[in-house]
Amino acid sequence: MNRQAVIGIRAQLTAGKLNQALQAAQRLTAAEPDSAEHWLLLSEVQIQPKVSIDALPAVRRALELDPDNERCLAHLASCLLLAGEFSEAQAVATRVLKNDPNNTSIDAETLDKLGNVLNGCGELGLAHDCFARAVDMCPDSPHYLFNLAALQRALGKMKESEASFSRVVAIRPDDSAAHLARSSLRTVSESDNHVEELENALHRVTPNSNAEIRLCFALAKELEDLGDHARSFGFLRRGSDIRRRRMDYDVDADVEAMAQIAKTFSADRMNTIKSGYETDEPIFILGLPRTGTTLVERIVSSHSFVFAAGELQNFAIELIKIAQRDSGGTRLNREQLIARSAELDYHELGKRYVDSTRPRTGRQARFIDKLPLNFLYTGLIHKALPGARIIHLTRQPMDACYAIYKTLFQQVYPFSYDLTDLGRYYIAYRKLMAHWENVLQDRFLNVSYEGLIGDQERVSREIISFCGLEWQEQCLDFQNNKKPTATASASQVRQGIYTSSVERWRYYEFELAPLKELLEGAGLALDHW
C-alpha cells in the first residue's frame, strides 16, 4: 500500500477537492490493483454526493482482496444503503457486529459508520449501541456524541439526549446542529432555556450560512415556548428566507406533478389495473408532515400485533426500479416516471415492496409505513397492495401549514420555507387527496388531528377497527410506548394527548396573512377540514 498517497487523497477528501481525489485514487488502483486499501479509498471517494459514481464495484473488489476487513464491510453496507438495498445493507452491518462479540476489534470510525447504516435501516437500538461504543472509545469526539444524542432522542431518552447535546456544545460552542437539536427536546421555561447562549452563537456565525439558519430556527422555537411570539416569528422568517434563497426549487414542478398523477390515474385507468399482491401486513399512515402522522403511528404501534417500521422509502424506490427496468434501464424524469408507473405489474410491485422491508418486518403480524409523502402514491398503494390499510391524516389548514413552516427539515419538503410555495403546495396536495378519495371511495380512512385529540378513545377505536385489529387498552396509553421514533415529533409524542397546538397559528395572524389569503382564494375552509 502506498501510505503517503493514501494520506494525500484523504486530505483532498477532507478539503473537498473531490475531482483531484477521484483522479488520484483511480491512478492508485491502476498502479497497485492488489491493494484492498486502495480500492476502499476509491469507493469512499466515489460515494461522495458531488461525485455520485457507483461505489459498489470498487468496494466489492476490496473485499475480494480482503474478505473479512471490517472497514470494507462497513463501507459496503453504506453503499448498499445509498443504493436502496436496505435488507442487504442491514445484513452486512449486523454481520460485522456478530464477528466482534466481545466488542474488542472494531474501531470507533467503523462503529460510527455501522451506526449510521443501522439507523438508516431503522434498527435504532443497534445503531444506538454502535454510537455508544464509539463514544466510550472517544469520549471527547463531538461527532460521535452528536450521533449518540440523536439516537437517545429517538429512543425517548430525553434527559440523556440533552446531556449529550450539551457536551457537544461544550466541546464545540458553535455547533449549530447540536444547538437546534437540543432546543427541540422539551418546552423551555423562563428559568431554564438557552436563548442567551443561542443569541451569542448567532453573533459569531457566517451570515447566510447553514449555521445561521439552524440557530434562527432554534431561537424561534425557544422564544415561542416563552410566549415571545413576535421575536419568535422574526427569527423563523429570517431562517426560512435564508434557507429558501440557498435552494434550487420550483414549486410549479411539484404542483404540475400532482396534477399529472391525478390525470394519469383517472377512475377509468384505475379500474383497468389488475389486482396486486395479496397481504394485509402493511398499514400506511400518510399525509403532510406535522399533521399527526407520528401520533397515529404511536397509537397503532402500541398494539401487540403491530411493528412501527418508520418512514420507509421502499414503495417509491421499488416503483422507480421497476419503471426504469421496463424502460430498458433508462433514467426517467418525473413526467416519464408518472406515465410509466401506470403500466407496471402491480402484483410484482406489491411483492417487491413487502420483500424489501425484510428482515425488519415479518416478525409481527402487521407493520406501519409512516412516510408522509406516500400520499402521492395512495392509489398506487391500493392497487399494488389491495389488502393494505391506508390512513390519511388531516389537520386545520393554517395550523398544518404553520407547523410545517416552523420545522427545519433535513433534505425533504423544500416547499416549506416560503409561505407562497407552502400555500401552493398545500392546495395541490388537497386537490390530489380529493382525487384519491373520489376514485377510491372508502378504501382509505381520513383521520382528523383535531378530532383525535378532542375524542381520543373514540377515534383511536375507529382507527384500530379500520386496521382489522381487536381493540387493546394500551393503545390509549401510547405515551408509554417504548418503541423508537426518529421523526420531528419524537419528543412531543411521548407527552400524551395535548391541545396546545390547536389554533396556534392565530398568534401569527398578521405574519401569516398572505398564506391565509392564498388558501381562502382556493376555497379552503380554514376552520376545519
Side-chain angles (χ1 to χ4, degrees), residues 357-373:
T357 68
R358 308 296 195 226
R360 294 188 61 218
T361 64
R363 289 170 282 186
Q364 289 174 267
R366 313 292 293 280
F367 71 88
I368 299 172
D369 181 341
K370 195 204 74 69
L371 183 67
L373 281 178

mmCIF file with all atom_site columns, all heavy atoms in Angstrom, residues 357-373:
data_model
loop_
_atom_site.group_PDB
_atom_site.id
_atom_site.type_symbol
_atom_site.label_atom_id
_atom_site.label_alt_id
_atom_site.label_comp_id
_atom_site.label_asym_id
_atom_site.label_entity_id
_atom_site.label_seq_id
_atom_site.pdbx_PDB_ins_code
_atom_site.Cartn_x
_atom_site.Cartn_y
_atom_site.Cartn_z
_atom_site.occupancy
_atom_site.B_iso_or_equiv
_atom_site.pdbx_formal_charge
_atom_site.auth_seq_id
_atom_site.auth_comp_id
_atom_site.auth_asym_id
_atom_site.auth_atom_id
_atom_site.pdbx_PDB_model_num
ATOM 1   N N   . THR A 1 357 ? -38.854 -4.779  2.715  1.00 0.00 ? 357 THR A N   1
ATOM 2   C CA  . THR A 1 357 ? -38.912 -4.337  4.111  1.00 0.00 ? 357 THR A CA  1
ATOM 3   C C   . THR A 1 357 ? -38.339 -5.374  5.070  1.00 0.00 ? 357 THR A C   1
ATOM 4   O O   . THR A 1 357 ? -38.186 -5.082  6.256  1.00 0.00 ? 357 THR A O   1
ATOM 5   C CB  . THR A 1 357 ? -40.359 -4.023  4.537  1.00 0.00 ? 357 THR A CB  1
ATOM 6   O OG1 . THR A 1 357 ? -41.128 -5.238  4.577  1.00 0.00 ? 357 THR A OG1 1
ATOM 7   C CG2 . THR A 1 357 ? -41.005 -3.026  3.586  1.00 0.00 ? 357 THR A CG2 1
ATOM 8   N N   . ARG A 1 358 ? -38.060 -6.558  4.559  1.00 0.00 ? 358 ARG A N   1
ATOM 9   C CA  . ARG A 1 358 ? -37.462 -7.597  5.391  1.00 0.00 ? 358 ARG A CA  1
ATOM 10  C C   . ARG A 1 358 ? -35.962 -7.312  5.579  1.00 0.00 ? 358 ARG A C   1
ATOM 11  O O   . ARG A 1 358 ? -35.351 -6.689  4.739  1.00 0.00 ? 358 ARG A O   1
ATOM 12  C CB  . ARG A 1 358 ? -37.636 -8.977  4.741  1.00 0.00 ? 358 ARG A CB  1
ATOM 13  C CG  . ARG A 1 358 ? -39.043 -9.338  4.324  1.00 0.00 ? 358 ARG A CG  1
ATOM 14  C CD  . ARG A 1 358 ? -39.985 -9.434  5.517  1.00 0.00 ? 358 ARG A CD  1
ATOM 15  N NE  . ARG A 1 358 ? -41.221 -10.131 5.100  1.00 0.00 ? 358 ARG A NE  1
ATOM 16  C CZ  . ARG A 1 358 ? -42.429 -9.739  5.382  1.00 0.00 ? 358 ARG A CZ  1
ATOM 17  N NH1 . ARG A 1 358 ? -42.596 -8.636  6.081  1.00 0.00 ? 358 ARG A NH1 1
ATOM 18  N NH2 . ARG A 1 358 ? -43.480 -10.434 5.007  1.00 0.00 ? 358 ARG A NH2 1
ATOM 19  N N   . PRO A 1 359 ? -35.346 -7.737  6.696  1.00 0.00 ? 359 PRO A N   1
ATOM 20  C CA  . PRO A 1 359 ? -35.902 -8.575  7.747  1.00 0.00 ? 359 PRO A CA  1
ATOM 21  C C   . PRO A 1 359 ? -36.541 -7.792  8.887  1.00 0.00 ? 359 PRO A C   1
ATOM 22  O O   . PRO A 1 359 ? -36.948 -8.383  9.879  1.00 0.00 ? 359 PRO A O   1
ATOM 23  C CB  . PRO A 1 359 ? -34.660 -9.308  8.247  1.00 0.00 ? 359 PRO A CB  1
ATOM 24  C CG  . PRO A 1 359 ? -33.570 -8.307  8.092  1.00 0.00 ? 359 PRO A CG  1
ATOM 25  C CD  . PRO A 1 359 ? -33.911 -7.545  6.843  1.00 0.00 ? 359 PRO A CD  1
ATOM 26  N N   . ARG A 1 360 ? -36.629 -6.460  8.759  1.00 0.00 ? 360 ARG A N   1
ATOM 27  C CA  . ARG A 1 360 ? -37.206 -5.680  9.856  1.00 0.00 ? 360 ARG A CA  1
ATOM 28  C C   . ARG A 1 360 ? -38.644 -6.080  10.099 1.00 0.00 ? 360 ARG A C   1
ATOM 29  O O   . ARG A 1 360 ? -39.092 -6.182  11.243 1.00 0.00 ? 360 ARG A O   1
ATOM 30  C CB  . ARG A 1 360 ? -37.139 -4.193  9.534  1.00 0.00 ? 360 ARG A CB  1
ATOM 31  C CG  . ARG A 1 360 ? -35.718 -3.656  9.460  1.00 0.00 ? 360 ARG A CG  1
ATOM 32  C CD  . ARG A 1 360 ? -35.735 -2.168  9.324  1.00 0.00 ? 360 ARG A CD  1
ATOM 33  N NE  . ARG A 1 360 ? -36.364 -1.553  10.462 1.00 0.00 ? 360 ARG A NE  1
ATOM 34  C CZ  . ARG A 1 360 ? -37.150 -0.488  10.395 1.00 0.00 ? 360 ARG A CZ  1
ATOM 35  N NH1 . ARG A 1 360 ? -37.425 0.059   9.229  1.00 0.00 ? 360 ARG A NH1 1
ATOM 36  N NH2 . ARG A 1 360 ? -37.677 0.024   11.478 1.00 0.00 ? 360 ARG A NH2 1
ATOM 37  N N   . THR A 1 361 ? -39.426 -6.281  9.028  1.00 0.00 ? 361 THR A N   1
ATOM 38  C CA  . THR A 1 361 ? -40.826 -6.649  9.162  1.00 0.00 ? 361 THR A CA  1
ATOM 39  C C   . THR A 1 361 ? -40.968 -8.163  9.054  1.00 0.00 ? 361 THR A C   1
ATOM 40  O O   . THR A 1 361 ? -40.027 -8.866  8.722  1.00 0.00 ? 361 THR A O   1
ATOM 41  C CB  . THR A 1 361 ? -41.669 -5.974  8.085  1.00 0.00 ? 361 THR A CB  1
ATOM 42  O OG1 . THR A 1 361 ? -41.262 -6.468  6.796  1.00 0.00 ? 361 THR A OG1 1
ATOM 43  C CG2 . THR A 1 361 ? -41.485 -4.462  8.111  1.00 0.00 ? 361 THR A CG2 1
ATOM 44  N N   . GLY A 1 362 ? -42.174 -8.638  9.336  1.00 0.00 ? 362 GLY A N   1
ATOM 45  C CA  . GLY A 1 362 ? -42.439 -10.070 9.239  1.00 0.00 ? 362 GLY A CA  1
ATOM 46  C C   . GLY A 1 362 ? -42.393 -10.786 10.567 1.00 0.00 ? 362 GLY A C   1
ATOM 47  O O   . GLY A 1 362 ? -42.824 -11.932 10.678 1.00 0.00 ? 362 GLY A O   1
ATOM 48  N N   . ARG A 1 363 ? -41.874 -10.103 11.585 1.00 0.00 ? 363 ARG A N   1
ATOM 49  C CA  . ARG A 1 363 ? -41.803 -10.726 12.905 1.00 0.00 ? 363 ARG A CA  1
ATOM 50  C C   . ARG A 1 363 ? -43.087 -10.512 13.697 1.00 0.00 ? 363 ARG A C   1
ATOM 51  O O   . ARG A 1 363 ? -43.331 -11.181 14.686 1.00 0.00 ? 363 ARG A O   1
ATOM 52  C CB  . ARG A 1 363 ? -40.604 -10.174 13.675 1.00 0.00 ? 363 ARG A CB  1
ATOM 53  C CG  . ARG A 1 363 ? -39.262 -10.649 13.122 1.00 0.00 ? 363 ARG A CG  1
ATOM 54  C CD  . ARG A 1 363 ? -38.077 -9.922  13.717 1.00 0.00 ? 363 ARG A CD  1
ATOM 55  N NE  . ARG A 1 363 ? -37.910 -8.594  13.134 1.00 0.00 ? 363 ARG A NE  1
ATOM 56  C CZ  . ARG A 1 363 ? -36.885 -7.793  13.394 1.00 0.00 ? 363 ARG A CZ  1
ATOM 57  N NH1 . ARG A 1 363 ? -35.946 -8.176  14.238 1.00 0.00 ? 363 ARG A NH1 1
ATOM 58  N NH2 . ARG A 1 363 ? -36.788 -6.602  12.829 1.00 0.00 ? 363 ARG A NH2 1
ATOM 59  N N   . GLN A 1 364 ? -43.887 -9.522  13.274 1.00 0.00 ? 364 GLN A N   1
ATOM 60  C CA  . GLN A 1 364 ? -45.213 -9.307  13.839 1.00 0.00 ? 364 GLN A CA  1
ATOM 61  C C   . GLN A 1 364 ? -46.219 -9.325  12.697 1.00 0.00 ? 364 GLN A C   1
ATOM 62  O O   . GLN A 1 364 ? -45.861 -9.185  11.529 1.00 0.00 ? 364 GLN A O   1
ATOM 63  C CB  . GLN A 1 364 ? -45.264 -7.987  14.606 1.00 0.00 ? 364 GLN A CB  1
ATOM 64  C CG  . GLN A 1 364 ? -44.464 -8.044  15.919 1.00 0.00 ? 364 GLN A CG  1
ATOM 65  C CD  . GLN A 1 364 ? -44.391 -6.699  16.611 1.00 0.00 ? 364 GLN A CD  1
ATOM 66  O OE1 . GLN A 1 364 ? -43.456 -5.949  16.416 1.00 0.00 ? 364 GLN A OE1 1
ATOM 67  N NE2 . GLN A 1 364 ? -45.369 -6.397  17.451 1.00 0.00 ? 364 GLN A NE2 1
ATOM 68  N N   . ALA A 1 365 ? -47.476 -9.498  13.047 1.00 0.00 ? 365 ALA A N   1
ATOM 69  C CA  . ALA A 1 365 ? -48.493 -9.702  12.010 1.00 0.00 ? 365 ALA A CA  1
ATOM 70  C C   . ALA A 1 365 ? -48.631 -8.507  11.076 1.00 0.00 ? 365 ALA A C   1
ATOM 71  O O   . ALA A 1 365 ? -48.906 -8.664  9.883  1.00 0.00 ? 365 ALA A O   1
ATOM 72  C CB  . ALA A 1 365 ? -49.837 -10.013 12.663 1.00 0.00 ? 365 ALA A CB  1
ATOM 73  N N   . ARG A 1 366 ? -48.454 -7.307  11.597 1.00 0.00 ? 366 ARG A N   1
ATOM 74  C CA  . ARG A 1 366 ? -48.662 -6.096  10.809 1.00 0.00 ? 366 ARG A CA  1
ATOM 75  C C   . ARG A 1 366 ? -47.476 -5.156  10.998 1.00 0.00 ? 366 ARG A C   1
ATOM 76  O O   . ARG A 1 366 ? -46.804 -5.201  12.018 1.00 0.00 ? 366 ARG A O   1
ATOM 77  C CB  . ARG A 1 366 ? -49.951 -5.384  11.253 1.00 0.00 ? 366 ARG A CB  1
ATOM 78  C CG  . ARG A 1 366 ? -51.166 -6.319  11.408 1.00 0.00 ? 366 ARG A CG  1
ATOM 79  C CD  . ARG A 1 366 ? -51.625 -6.878  10.070 1.00 0.00 ? 366 ARG A CD  1
ATOM 80  N NE  . ARG A 1 366 ? -52.148 -5.842  9.231  1.00 0.00 ? 366 ARG A NE  1
ATOM 81  C CZ  . ARG A 1 366 ? -53.382 -5.335  9.350  1.00 0.00 ? 366 ARG A CZ  1
ATOM 82  N NH1 . ARG A 1 366 ? -54.191 -5.792  10.296 1.00 0.00 ? 366 ARG A NH1 1
ATOM 83  N NH2 . ARG A 1 366 ? -53.805 -4.399  8.535  1.00 0.00 ? 366 ARG A NH2 1
ATOM 84  N N   . PHE A 1 367 ? -47.247 -4.290  10.011 1.00 0.00 ? 367 PHE A N   1
ATOM 85  C CA  . PHE A 1 367 ? -46.227 -3.264  10.174 1.00 0.00 ? 367 PHE A CA  1
ATOM 86  C C   . PHE A 1 367 ? -46.723 -1.946  9.600  1.00 0.00 ? 367 PHE A C   1
ATOM 87  O O   . PHE A 1 367 ? -47.551 -1.913  8.691  1.00 0.00 ? 367 PHE A O   1
ATOM 88  C CB  . PHE A 1 367 ? -44.888 -3.674  9.545  1.00 0.00 ? 367 PHE A CB  1
ATOM 89  C CG  . PHE A 1 367 ? -44.868 -3.693  8.040  1.00 0.00 ? 367 PHE A CG  1
ATOM 90  C CD1 . PHE A 1 367 ? -44.560 -2.556  7.305  1.00 0.00 ? 367 PHE A CD1 1
ATOM 91  C CD2 . PHE A 1 367 ? -45.126 -4.871  7.348  1.00 0.00 ? 367 PHE A CD2 1
ATOM 92  C CE1 . PHE A 1 367 ? -44.528 -2.573  5.922  1.00 0.00 ? 367 PHE A CE1 1
ATOM 93  C CE2 . PHE A 1 367 ? -45.091 -4.911  5.957  1.00 0.00 ? 367 PHE A CE2 1
ATOM 94  C CZ  . PHE A 1 367 ? -44.794 -3.763  5.242  1.00 0.00 ? 367 PHE A CZ  1
ATOM 95  N N   . ILE A 1 368 ? -46.195 -0.850  10.176 1.00 0.00 ? 368 ILE A N   1
ATOM 96  C CA  . ILE A 1 368 ? -46.587 0.501   9.765  1.00 0.00 ? 368 ILE A CA  1
ATOM 97  C C   . ILE A 1 368 ? -45.484 1.118   8.921  1.00 0.00 ? 368 ILE A C   1
ATOM 98  O O   . ILE A 1 368 ? -44.316 1.100   9.299  1.00 0.00 ? 368 ILE A O   1
ATOM 99  C CB  . ILE A 1 368 ? -46.844 1.402   10.985 1.00 0.00 ? 368 ILE A CB  1
ATOM 100 C CG1 . ILE A 1 368 ? -47.984 0.862   11.843 1.00 0.00 ? 368 ILE A CG1 1
ATOM 101 C CG2 . ILE A 1 368 ? -47.158 2.839   10.539 1.00 0.00 ? 368 ILE A CG2 1
ATOM 102 C CD1 . ILE A 1 368 ? -48.146 1.606   13.165 1.00 0.00 ? 368 ILE A CD1 1
ATOM 103 N N   . ASP A 1 369 ? -45.878 1.679   7.802  1.00 0.00 ? 369 ASP A N   1
ATOM 104 C CA  . ASP A 1 369 ? -45.012 2.528   6.980  1.00 0.00 ? 369 ASP A CA  1
ATOM 105 C C   . ASP A 1 369 ? -45.560 3.943   7.130  1.00 0.00 ? 369 ASP A C   1
ATOM 106 O O   . ASP A 1 369 ? -46.644 4.245   6.651  1.00 0.00 ? 369 ASP A O   1
ATOM 107 C CB  . ASP A 1 369 ? -45.055 2.067   5.516  1.00 0.00 ? 369 ASP A CB  1
ATOM 108 C CG  . ASP A 1 369 ? -44.150 2.894   4.603  1.00 0.00 ? 369 ASP A CG  1
ATOM 109 O OD1 . ASP A 1 369 ? -43.777 4.015   4.978  1.00 0.00 ? 369 ASP A OD1 1
ATOM 110 O OD2 . ASP A 1 369 ? -43.835 2.410   3.504  1.00 0.00 ? 369 ASP A OD2 1
ATOM 111 N N   . LYS A 1 370 ? -44.778 4.820   7.789  1.00 0.00 ? 370 LYS A N   1
ATOM 112 C CA  . LYS A 1 370 ? -45.281 6.150   8.122  1.00 0.00 ? 370 LYS A CA  1
ATOM 113 C C   . LYS A 1 370 ? -44.580 7.250   7.326  1.00 0.00 ? 370 LYS A C   1
ATOM 114 O O   . LYS A 1 370 ? -44.241 8.300   7.868  1.00 0.00 ? 370 LYS A O   1
ATOM 115 C CB  . LYS A 1 370 ? -45.120 6.412   9.626  1.00 0.00 ? 370 LYS A CB  1
ATOM 116 C CG  . LYS A 1 370 ? -45.921 7.602   10.134 1.00 0.00 ? 370 LYS A CG  1
ATOM 117 C CD  . LYS A 1 370 ? -45.346 8.200   11.390 1.00 0.00 ? 370 LYS A CD  1
ATOM 118 C CE  . LYS A 1 370 ? -44.100 8.981   11.181 1.00 0.00 ? 370 LYS A CE  1
ATOM 119 N NZ  . LYS A 1 370 ? -44.295 10.255  10.441 1.00 0.00 ? 370 LYS A NZ  1
ATOM 120 N N   . LEU A 1 371 ? -44.363 7.038   6.059  1.00 0.00 ? 371 LEU A N   1
ATOM 121 C CA  . LEU A 1 371 ? -43.761 8.083   5.242  1.00 0.00 ? 371 LEU A CA  1
ATOM 122 C C   . LEU A 1 371 ? -44.862 9.024   4.766  1.00 0.00 ? 371 LEU A C   1
ATOM 123 O O   . LEU A 1 371 ? -45.711 8.639   3.960  1.00 0.00 ? 371 LEU A O   1
ATOM 124 C CB  . LEU A 1 371 ? -43.044 7.475   4.041  1.00 0.00 ? 371 LEU A CB  1
ATOM 125 C CG  . LEU A 1 371 ? -42.311 8.485   3.152  1.00 0.00 ? 371 LEU A CG  1
ATOM 126 C CD1 . LEU A 1 371 ? -41.131 9.096   3.907  1.00 0.00 ? 371 LEU A CD1 1
ATOM 127 C CD2 . LEU A 1 371 ? -41.846 7.837   1.856  1.00 0.00 ? 371 LEU A CD2 1
ATOM 128 N N   . PRO A 1 372 ? -44.876 10.292  5.228  1.00 0.00 ? 372 PRO A N   1
ATOM 129 C CA  . PRO A 1 372 ? -45.965 11.192  4.837  1.00 0.00 ? 372 PRO A CA  1
ATOM 130 C C   . PRO A 1 372 ? -46.151 11.329  3.330  1.00 0.00 ? 372 PRO A C   1
ATOM 131 O O   . PRO A 1 372 ? -47.280 11.325  2.825  1.00 0.00 ? 372 PRO A O   1
ATOM 132 C CB  . PRO A 1 372 ? -45.553 12.524  5.483  1.00 0.00 ? 372 PRO A CB  1
ATOM 133 C CG  . PRO A 1 372 ? -44.750 12.124  6.676  1.00 0.00 ? 372 PRO A CG  1
ATOM 134 C CD  . PRO A 1 372 ? -43.984 10.909  6.230  1.00 0.00 ? 372 PRO A CD  1
ATOM 135 N N   . LEU A 1 373 ? -45.036 11.410  2.579  1.00 0.00 ? 373 LEU A N   1
ATOM 136 C CA  . LEU A 1 373 ? -45.127 11.659  1.142  1.00 0.00 ? 373 LEU A CA  1
ATOM 137 C C   . LEU A 1 373 ? -45.717 10.497  0.354  1.00 0.00 ? 373 LEU A C   1
ATOM 138 O O   . LEU A 1 373 ? -45.948 10.629  -0.854 1.00 0.00 ? 373 LEU A O   1
ATOM 139 C CB  . LEU A 1 373 ? -43.741 12.007  0.581  1.00 0.00 ? 373 LEU A CB  1
ATOM 140 C CG  . LEU A 1 373 ? -43.270 13.437  0.820  1.00 0.00 ? 373 LEU A CG  1
ATOM 141 C CD1 . LEU A 1 373 ? -41.874 13.638  0.266  1.00 0.00 ? 373 LEU A CD1 1
ATOM 142 C CD2 . LEU A 1 373 ? -44.224 14.448  0.199  1.00 0.00 ? 373 LEU A CD2 1
#
